[in-house]
Amino acid sequence: MTRWRERLVAKTVQPLMRTTPAYKLWVGFLVAVVLWGVFAYTRQWRNGLVETAMRDRISWGLYISAFVFFIGISHAGTLISAILRASNAKWRAPVTRMAEFITAVALITGASFVIVDMGRPERLLNVYQFGRWQSPIMWDVMAITTYLTASVLYLYAPMIPDLALFRDRLKGKVGVVREWFYRAAALNWTGAEEQKKSLAKAIGVLMLIIMPIAVSVHTVVSWIFGMTLRVGWNTSIF
Amino acid sequence: MPSERRDESRTRSWILAGAAVGAATLGVTSLAPGALVLLGLALAICAVAAGGMALYRRRGHKRGRIGRHLSPQDVTTAPIDVGGLQRRATLKLLGLGALGAAPIALAPRLIDRVVGGAGPSDAVPVTGGATSDVAQRIRQWTMIIDLRYCDGCQGNGTAPQCTLACIEGHFAPEPMEWIQVFEGELAGGGTQFIPTPCQQCQNPPCVNVCPVGATFSTPEGTVLIDQERCIGCRICMAACPYDRRFFNWGDPPVPPEALLADYSPDHQVPAQRGTVMKCDFCPDMARAGTLPFCVQACPNDAIYYGDLEEDVATNGKGVRQVSRLLSETDAYRLKEHLGTEPRVFYVPGHGELVAGIPSAREGPTPNGPGSSERKGR
């Protein structure tokens, strides 16, 4: 059992010490895609939303539908990590960490689409300064911020034992900054029984909280459409 | 026991911290409602959470508040009596939580503050109810469009004059048509022309959904837009059932005359990229006693502009009593079933009273359409 566990730990820790050229190539490619997006956005910043070819009748297009899509994707992550945990489905264990990461990243991406869609993004703080709670967009800001916070916490909490593992195993093998990060993020985790009980309780609470939050988020997003009087949008079945 | 006293004082300090945060939130949210309510809520929740942690914390081998009278041997065998202790701890936690609810008590006041008065416009005179002093009176602007006299300017052979005059007068950027003449099919064949300005709803969906309050209702019943606050999210455009709001997708051309005007939501010049614009019922002109551009420009005098309070409306040629005009002609509003309560009324018709244009039933006049003898009324 111990030898098996040792091999498992070694396999987990090994990618953190060295990155393969294939990994670097892949990350390089993704960075190039991101830079392409940045270039496109500078064009939009300079010329206005006329670059998107949206016009007055169909004033919401790919940006908003992509926003809705990515918020939906984040629910997939919550489904696997929270709902399947609540129903005690053991097979989710290998994918649950990845699912939670997907949730957090998809939420940030979805929220970015809304900002990119704004006609005057430099006035984003108007939403916080003059925000009207009667507006479906304010509900959406509130709901998605809450969901993002809860998701990040739900991602972090089960990671604490793993971060402690890295802190212990990677001492002296990685840079000072990373060592400090592992030490800080592991929160003095020693693997003691009481710590495990405490953590299990915290994860349980988060799991119970995040499920209604996830349901409410997509409800709120649909209200952005449902609270208009546009034919087809102001009903649920059309 | 010393640890108990320490826990008690720690709890007390967390309760004080929560109270301080709640009080700070109450004081500071009077300054800027939106951000600080959120911040206050967040801080209060943190205080509650920290207080909860203080109550439930266990450090290493030290026993926490719950089950503290038991020894390690009892833990595995004896049933744990946590009833009384757990109840007390829970009550303390709830007490802390009540502090987190402090900002919620403010909510009605904040909502009133934001919804109650006019928005950022200082140009609208808010002087109270109707007075006998005509200059001080708060009007309730309305428009009545007599469709019996509207032929979409087909008789003139030009584009609709109301649309053109509005675009010229307001320097409306292309291709916005703040008053737009829609064409409808008539049952027996033929076309009906319906000039459609902003309906200036009394239950405006655009105002209801705006996240920053950039569009707002005035005491005069008009709906205006503050170009300085609009963030360009376009939910108001999605919400308007009449499709009367327009967006500056690119940089709008700003003529030099527009730059001379001081900024005010009353006249929407100069136009700004990334903001929404629409018909505003020309409030600055109306207050000065001039009719809106569309009313002035109609060659058939089909558009009336007036005041529901004083019950008069004029199309530039004659003055009519609004209530009588509306009831006698069976006037209607667009999309009544949506409950937006628009201020634009339509007298049913299809241009049949415009001389020289054949009506749907009568057939062509002897001289044909577009004959020289043309008068609205």
Side-chain angles (χ1 to χ4, degrees):
Chain A
M1 182 66 178
T2 319
R3 262 197 60 194
W4 173 84
R5 193 183 149 72
E6 274 304 310
R7 279 188 12 234
L8 181 66
V9 167
K11 209 173 169 80
T12 309
V13 162
Q14 196 245 1
L16 294 168
M17 295 196 290
R18 208 174 48 84
T19 52
T20 60
Y23 176 82
K24 291 199 176 84
L25 201 65
W26 179 236
V27 170
F29 169 70
L30 292 176
V31 167
V33 172
V34 170
L35 287 176
W36 182 28
V38 169
F39 161 70
Y41 190 62
T42 54
R43 266 185 66 172
Q44 187 183 293
W45 187 274
R46 221 174 332 122
N47 299 333
L49 278 163
V50 68
E51 291 278 331
T52 61
M54 289 188 281
R55 295 295 178 257
D56 276 334
R57 181 62 187 159
I58 313 296
S59 51
W60 277 346
L62 198 57
Y63 284 150
I64 298 296
S65 47
F67 151 72
V68 177
F69 179 68
F70 276 96
I71 301 298
I73 290 211
S74 74
H75 282 67
T78 304
L79 172 72
I80 291 174
S81 53
I83 298 181
L84 289 184
R85 180 191 166 93
S87 62
N88 226 4
K90 295 275 188 259
W91 56 264
R92 82 181 194 289
V95 292
T96 191
R97 174 69 45 78
M98 186 169 60
E100 257 314 309
F101 255 116
I102 289 176
T103 300
V105 169
L107 275 174
I108 295 171
T109 310
S112 309
F113 270 115
V114 178
I115 297 174
V116 162
D117 184 59
M118 283 170 70
R120 299 213 68 112
E122 73 271 14
R123 293 183 186 169
L124 179 59
L125 288 179
N126 279 8
V127 176
Y128 294 98
Q129 199 182 349
F130 302 115
R132 289 178 68 245
W133 291 114
Q134 295 90 330
S135 165
I137 288 195
M138 278 307 286
W139 308 338
D140 192 52
V141 167
M142 177 81 150
I144 289 189
T145 311
T146 309
Y147 189 32
L148 181 61
T149 311
S151 279
V152 167
L153 284 174
Y154 196 52
L155 169 67
Y156 173 59
M159 236 198 311
I160 292 175
D162 295 322
L163 289 164
L165 179 73
F166 297 150
R167 173 198 62 196
D168 297 333
R169 295 296 174 130
L170 294 175
K171 228 178 263 231
K173 297 202 183 105
V174 294
V176 177
V177 176
R178 279 173 71 183
E179 268 193 45
W180 169 85
F181 170 71
Y182 291 139
R183 205 171 45 244
L187 293 184
N188 293 330
W189 176 264
T190 55
E193 271 310 302
E194 281 187 357
Q195 284 189 342
K196 282 192 184 157
K197 273 204 212 112
S198 226
L199 186 64
K201 200 181 283 186
I203 294 178
V205 166
L206 278 171
M207 169 195 81
L208 286 175
I209 287 181
I210 208 171
M211 287 195 285
I213 290 179
V215 171
S216 77
V217 163
H218 228 46
T219 307
V220 165
V221 166
S222 64
W223 278 337
I224 290 180
F225 301 98
M227 296 291 175
T228 65
L229 289 174
R230 189 163 273 216
V231 172
W233 283 12
N234 60 346
T235 60
S236 55
I237 298 175
F238 48 88
Chain B
M1 294 169 72
S3 53
E4 175 166 6
R5 227 177 288 135
R6 195 182 340 140
D7 278 335
E8 282 281 0
S9 73
R10 200 172 279 128
T11 309
R12 218 175 298 132
S13 55
W14 279 117
I15 290 174
L16 283 172
V21 165
T25 311
L26 282 166
V28 157
T29 48
S30 58
L31 296 175
L36 290 161
V37 169
L38 274 177
L39 185 63
L41 265 173
L43 286 174
I45 290 170
C46 288
V48 167
M53 274 172 11
L55 289 171
Y56 285 91
R57 178 173 46 220
R58 277 157 215 199
R59 250 201 250 139
H61 63 283
K62 278 225 192 90
R63 293 190 292 270
R65 295 190 65 83
I66 296 179
R68 60 179 299 101
H69 57 290
L70 301 172
S71 67
Q73 293 86 339
D74 295 336
V75 169
T76 49
T77 53
I80 297 180
D81 170 29
V82 293
L85 290 164
Q86 201 164 37
R87 212 176 299 133
R88 217 168 31 160
T90 312
L91 283 173
K92 278 190 184 151
L93 197 56
L94 285 175
L96 285 173
L99 286 167
I104 296 175
L106 282 178
R109 194 166 73 88
L110 293 173
I111 289 174
D112 278 341
R113 204 161 187 261
V114 175
V115 171
S121 163
D122 294 322
V124 175
V126 183
T127 54
T131 67
S132 54
D133 181 358
V134 174
Q136 297 272 57
R137 193 177 285 178
I138 304 280
R139 305 285 181 172
Q140 298 299 310
W141 301 122
T142 183
M143 217 181 249
I144 302 138
I145 301 181
D146 198 337
L147 293 178
R148 298 171 300 181
Y149 291 96
C150 177
D151 60 349
C153 290
Q154 305 257 303
N156 305 340
T158 62
Q161 295 296 301
C162 50
T163 307
L164 290 177
C166 173
I167 291 175
E168 268 189 53
H170 287 286
F171 308 111
E174 269 198 76
M176 296 189 188
E177 290 184 14
W178 295 355
I179 179 168
Q180 190 171 352
V181 178
F182 289 114
E183 295 181 23
E185 291 286 319
L186 288 171
T191 322
Q192 182 186 35
F193 297 93
I194 310 175
T196 317
C198 167
Q199 305 287 295
Q200 312 290 345
C201 308
Q202 296 313 292
N203 179 20
C206 54
V207 172
N208 291 338
V209 297
C210 179
V212 293
T215 185
F216 57 97
S217 286
T218 64
E220 296 165 331
T222 55
V223 177
L224 301 179
I225 305 174
D226 182 5
Q227 256 78 37
E228 291 291 315
R229 197 186 275 196
C230 177
I231 62 173
C233 68
R234 310 191 296 290
I235 190 175
C236 60
M237 293 172 67
C240 178
Y242 308 103
D243 200 24
R244 300 284 82 220
R245 296 177 73 98
F246 308 89
F247 191 66
N248 284 307
W249 295 98
D251 283 308
V254 179
E257 304 96 320
L259 291 169
L260 289 172
D262 285 333
Y263 169 71
S264 159
D266 276 342
H267 48 255
Q268 292 182 87
V269 288
Q272 290 191 32
R273 184 224 289 187
T275 60
V276 173
M277 305 176 87
K278 67 173 187 68
C279 156
D280 55 7
F281 261 21
C282 299
D284 49 346
M285 293 171 60
R287 271 195 294 275
T290 323
L291 288 173
F293 295 113
C294 52
V295 179
Q296 292 182 40
C298 179
N300 301 341
D301 306 308
I303 308 182
Y304 289 84
Y305 188 82
D307 176 11
L308 288 174
E309 281 281 313
E310 206 181 323
D311 206 21
V312 293
T314 177
N315 60 355
K317 291 276 161 49
V319 177
R320 306 288 293 270
Q321 185 183 8
V322 171
S323 49
R324 183 175 289 186
L325 174 62
L326 296 179
S327 60
E328 279 175 358
T329 54
D330 245 350
Y332 63 94
R333 297 182 294 187
L334 299 179
K335 301 198 182 185
E336 285 256 24
H337 58 281
L338 294 177
T340 51
E341 303 295 320
R343 279 272 171 91
V344 177
F345 298 87
Y346 290 88
V347 173
H350 50 91
E352 65 267 30
L353 292 182
V354 178
I357 299 294
S359 80
R361 261 170 296 167
E362 281 160 21
T365 58
N367 293 333
S371 63
S372 54
E373 207 56 59
R374 284 222 41 225
K375 258 201 291 206
R377 208 166 340 131

